[in-house]
Amino acid sequence: MIQLEQVSKRYANKTALDHANLHIPRGAMAFLTGHSGAGKSTLLKLIMLMERPSNGRVIIDQQDLSKLNGNQIALHRRKVGLVFQNHQLLEDYSVHDNIALPLKVSGYNNLDAGRRVRAALDKVGLLSKEKQLPRVLSTGEQQRIGIARAIVNKPRLILADEPTGNLDPKLSAEIMQLFEQFNQVGVTVLIASHDLSLIERLPHPKIHLHQGHLSGAFIGSN
Amino acid sequence: MTTDKATSQAQRSRPETLGKRLLREHAEVALSSWIRLWRTPITNLLTWLTLAIALALPGTLIIMLNQAQGLANQLHTSNQISVFLSLQTSSEQAQAVAQQLQQRTDIKQVTFIAADTAMQEFSLASGLGDILQSLTDNPIPATILVEPQLKSADAIGLLAEQLRQQASVDQVLIDQLWLQRLQAMVHTSQRATWVLATMLALGVLLVMGNTMRMQMESRREEILVIKLVGGTDAYLRRPFLYSAIWAGLMAGSLAAIIMTLALTLLQPSLTDLASSFNSTWQLHNLTIWHWLVTLFGSCGLACLSALLTVQSQLRQIQP
């Protein structure tokens, strides 16, 4: 599902990835660890086409991302659900409208979008909050709304960048359970986190990123 | 509603055709951008007024000058020559000159205006009756209006030259010359107006572009999130284009209203001016055609400006 071939990403004064190889199969759930600033976000950004690699190829779902341009980038992003640490909800949109955004850009009508939004809200257990504004919700609830937005389009791949960064251990565990539920129905999940105490308790493969080099699970040249 | 039920319902929903989907999306965006306009009505109204004045100023001038040119063209058929006799000429002598001119084969018609008659007309028209009566001598000469047989400029010029040679003739004016000057003036004013219009249109583009830039800056976060969830540039462009269309329509309507008011105010004095030239010319107000040109022009400028700005801003705002 996620394939990195000799991928390097260099910035002016540092190397985030150095000839990295990675192959995460379809349906897997994995953690990407490393101290903050190690380049975990860079790896996710390469998958989302928010950045381009300096060298090498990134292949997602058998598609070489270096070949995508313009509208193809947008179409690629629709296939990936992205969860942020700071949830990135729009303040003047209701919970419903925030979650409906990925559907609206794909051209869903209000009726179909409404059904899918409620299904997604139901999965994260916040069906009653549909009409509220994000700022009246707790941090944990806001993060779940962010997750609902990431899954509403039924992506085959979910990326999460420090999804539990702002949450206490109990809420963090709940969020991880949600990701496990999606993984159980076949969604590939990659979670970047430096919350080792939490992820060490979970039975999923870990990929470690240190000074631009990957180690741990799913490593090797294909 | 349970999850599974909701999901299966969503899957069962009938797919739309592409045309229907685009139509629905455009209608939705048109409506939502219209509603958004009224969140900041004062700011928007001021922008529309600025644009409207920039459009109305050259618009009013162009409409007036086009009509003035029509008038000048219409008067062009007049070939009259005005012959002013010297002040020393007596009334009898003057009439004799007029009769003599009437005999000529190259003159079609002669109209004689005696000095006294001219004086009476002038004192009535000018309202200076009392002052004029206090004068011992009549300062206005006898005038003969000559309508030449031939209409060519050369023939008229030759005739005027011959008339100038005559004894007791003080001055000869060819109306055509005056008309040519009027036309040249109208032409120059038209050119100047188009230059002005071009500059103001550029101003409209800049004002609109700046408004768009500010709108996009205030929605930066929204644009970023939409880009990340897979919104295409066309999708992101749409609300801004519609807001430009609405702004163009509002500014165009305001401009047309301002032009109507301006022309209504100018009408009486211009009609008076025309009647002083013995013309029944009237300034016509905006026609439906003028309205359409103003609305479409305004919309076109707004859209052009939005297209240029939005495209470059969208390239800059990247997640």
Side-chain angles (χ1 to χ4, degrees), chain B residues 76-133:
Chain B
H76 198 260
T77 48
S78 156
N79 300 306
Q80 197 166 274
I81 301 172
S82 306
V83 179
F84 300 100
L85 302 180
S86 63
L87 286 172
Q88 292 80 26
T89 319
S90 70
S91 177
E92 291 77 23
Q93 281 173 321
Q95 264 174 344
V97 174
Q99 272 164 12
Q100 187 199 333
L101 289 181
Q102 185 71 73
Q103 308 296 315
R104 291 182 62 137
T105 49
D106 53 355
I107 290 176
K108 195 171 162 189
Q109 207 195 338
V110 168
T111 314
F112 176 68
I113 303 167
D116 292 344
T117 321
M119 179 67 167
Q120 274 166 17
E121 275 181 12
F122 181 65
S123 61
L124 275 178
S126 64
L128 299 172
D130 291 344
I131 300 168
L132 292 170
Q133 254 164 20

Side-chain angles (χ1 to χ4, degrees), chain B residues 200-246:
Chain B
L200 286 169
L202 276 175
V204 169
L205 282 180
L206 292 176
V207 169
M208 202 60 221
N210 198 41
T211 311
M212 281 291 129
R213 213 185 310 279
M214 289 195 304
Q215 271 189 26
M216 293 185 77
E217 210 43 59
S218 71
R219 295 172 74 178
R220 191 185 185 89
E221 202 195 345
E222 196 177 335
I223 293 171
L224 284 176
V225 171
I226 290 175
K227 279 197 168 193
L228 278 177
V229 298
T232 57
D233 278 1
Y235 180 89
L236 282 160
R237 210 163 36 223
R238 221 171 278 151
F240 297 105
L241 277 188
Y242 272 100
S243 97
I245 290 177
W246 291 128

Side-chain angles (χ1 to χ4, degrees), chain B residues 245-278:
Chain B
I245 290 177
W246 291 128
L249 282 177
M250 297 306 275
S253 309
L254 284 174
I257 291 169
I258 292 173
M259 281 152 74
T260 308
L261 287 176
L263 290 174
T264 309
L265 284 175
L266 286 168
Q267 224 156 16
S269 60
L270 282 174
T271 310
D272 280 355
L273 186 66
S275 69
S276 75
F277 287 99
N278 274 336

Side-chain angles (χ1 to χ4, degrees), chain B residues 48-59 196-197 200-201 203-204 207 255 258:
Chain B
W48 300 336
L49 269 176
T50 312
L51 299 177
I53 290 167
L55 293 168
L57 181 63
L196 182 76
L200 286 169
V204 169
V207 169
I258 292 173

